[in-house]
Amino acid sequence: MTREEKPISDAIDTRTPSVARMYDWLLDGVDNYAADRKACEDLLRIAPSSKVLARNNRAFLRRVVRVLAQEYGIRQFLDHGSGLPTQDNVHQVAQRVDRSCRIVYLDTDPIVLAHGRSRLDQNDRVAVLRADMRETEAIFDTPEVRRLIRKDECTAALFVSVVHCLKDEDVLPMLAAVKARLKPGSFFVICQLVSDRADIRNRVTDLMDRATGGKWGRVRTADEVRAYFDALGLDIIDPGLCDVTDWRPDSELMPRPKADDWVEWGGVGRVPIR
């Protein structure tokens, strides 16, 4: 079953693939259009394990939010590039730990805003904003962020599977601007698509850049992702930076299918308290 092939708003371009809607399709969602599905089919021809990768990434998001809420007492989350709602969204995971947890979802895709507000905005501790994640000053000055993300509390800034959507020159300035707004002791969750194979990196980057009309950065290497943590001076928490499938798995006994042509790679870093 898929969405009816007509736009829900004049602001939604159904003919140009959207990263959020492609991700929805890879997760077997229904909030996608023919252009998104065609782009995903092209992607699977280059990297056949992309559906496995998407599922692994979503499971990582659930685990990392639970760990930060349970073990580190984080009660406010800023989810950059949140994508379309699916099962066990950030606020549901966090608020199972503590009902007082506050979450702001950010995304540029108008369909995310339309569906997010109907499915995610379920209580007064959750907000969904249409915003460019590079515009940190504007984001932190919105009424929703001023209400929900308190300056005197530590925050988890989530950048899960979104940094590869940005050009090289935008990544570190954005991350540094967010860090400057957060209290020491806050957390960054950063992971993105990486591959050891130059052909995969180049072919996927070319495909996505064309498909999205230039709304794409590039597939990078693990060393490039590590450099983000180093540049921000973050203290990386256990188990370090890795394929997110291996980041604190729920069970060491259960098999964990892995993508073999590219992976989602990264981890969690803490802003030092000094």
Side-chain angles (χ1 to χ4, degrees):
M1 179 179 177
T2 55
R3 290 187 55 79
E4 187 178 354
E5 296 303 317
K6 62 181 181 180
I8 64 172
S9 162
D10 290 340
I12 296 174
D13 179 1
T14 62
R15 295 176 177 83
T16 301
S18 150
V19 173
R21 299 194 306 261
M22 288 177 65
Y23 187 58
D24 174 74
W25 185 86
L26 291 169
L27 290 172
D28 298 322
V30 298
D31 294 316
N32 50 78
Y33 295 90
D36 308 305
R37 298 190 288 275
K38 172 61 166 60
C40 285
E41 291 166 1
D42 293 341
L43 177 62
L44 288 170
R45 280 192 283 272
I46 300 172
S49 59
S50 295
K51 278 201 164 191
V52 172
L53 181 147
R55 289 193 292 269
N56 288 346
N57 176 65
R58 194 70 194 180
F60 164 71
L61 177 61
R62 292 193 292 266
R63 293 196 307 276
V64 77
V65 169
R66 186 182 69 239
V67 166
L68 290 176
Q70 279 184 342
E71 299 183 19
Y72 294 92
I74 295 298
R75 295 295 180 265
Q76 52 189 30
F77 296 80
L78 193 56
D79 189 2
H80 297 77
S82 56
L84 283 154
T86 183
Q87 293 182 342
D88 255 3
N89 298 286
V90 170
H91 74 281
Q92 293 164 324
V93 176
Q95 289 180 353
R96 278 200 294 269
V97 176
D98 189 316
R99 289 177 58 84
S100 72
C101 285
R102 303 175 305 282
I103 295 86
V104 177
Y105 295 99
L106 308 169
D107 206 291
T108 56
D109 193 324
I111 200 172
V112 172
L113 184 69
H115 288 281
R117 286 186 171 167
S118 64
R119 301 184 203 173
L120 300 179
D121 200 353
Q122 296 175 350
N123 54 63
D124 62 4
R125 297 173 302 283
V126 180
V128 184
L129 301 180
R130 186 181 179 191
D132 186 327
M133 61 183 163
R134 296 169 297 181
E135 297 177 354
T136 301
E137 183 175 351
I139 288 168
F140 275 84
D141 285 344
T142 60
E144 294 88 346
V145 172
R146 289 201 303 268
R147 178 174 65 87
L148 294 172
I149 306 298
R150 299 167 185 170
K151 294 180 180 180
D152 61 345
E153 293 186 28
C154 292
T155 303
L158 309 180
F159 295 89
V160 177
S161 198
V162 295
V163 179
H164 48 248
C165 297
L166 299 180
K167 306 297 184 185
D168 289 342
E169 61 268 23
D170 291 329
V171 178
L172 278 176
M174 175 194 67
L175 295 174
V178 174
K179 181 186 175 186
R181 290 279 191 152
L182 301 184
K183 180 181 178 180
S186 294
F187 291 87
F188 278 80
V189 181
I190 306 170
C191 64
Q192 81 139 77
L193 298 168
V194 307
S195 179
D196 292 332
R197 293 175 49 183
D199 64 318
I200 294 289
R201 295 196 302 272
N202 294 336
R203 292 175 66 197
V204 172
T205 295
D206 289 346
L207 167 68
M208 292 301 298
D209 191 60
R210 291 195 311 272
T212 62
K215 296 177 180 179
W216 183 255
R218 64 186 176 90
V219 181
R220 297 182 172 94
T221 66
D223 285 343
E224 289 176 299
V225 178
R226 183 180 297 278
Y228 300 148
F229 289 83
D230 293 342
L232 294 173
L234 302 177
D235 296 328
I236 299 171
I237 70 171
D238 289 339
L241 305 182
C242 57
D243 178 342
V244 299
T245 310
D246 298 323
W247 197 93
R248 302 199 187 188
D250 290 327
S251 172
E252 293 290 349
L253 301 177
M254 294 180 62
R256 301 195 297 274
K258 288 190 176 185
D260 54 11
D261 27 40
W262 60 346
V263 299
E264 196 80 37
W265 200 91
V268 182
R270 192 170 199 179
V271 179
I273 304 173
R274 297 193 180 101

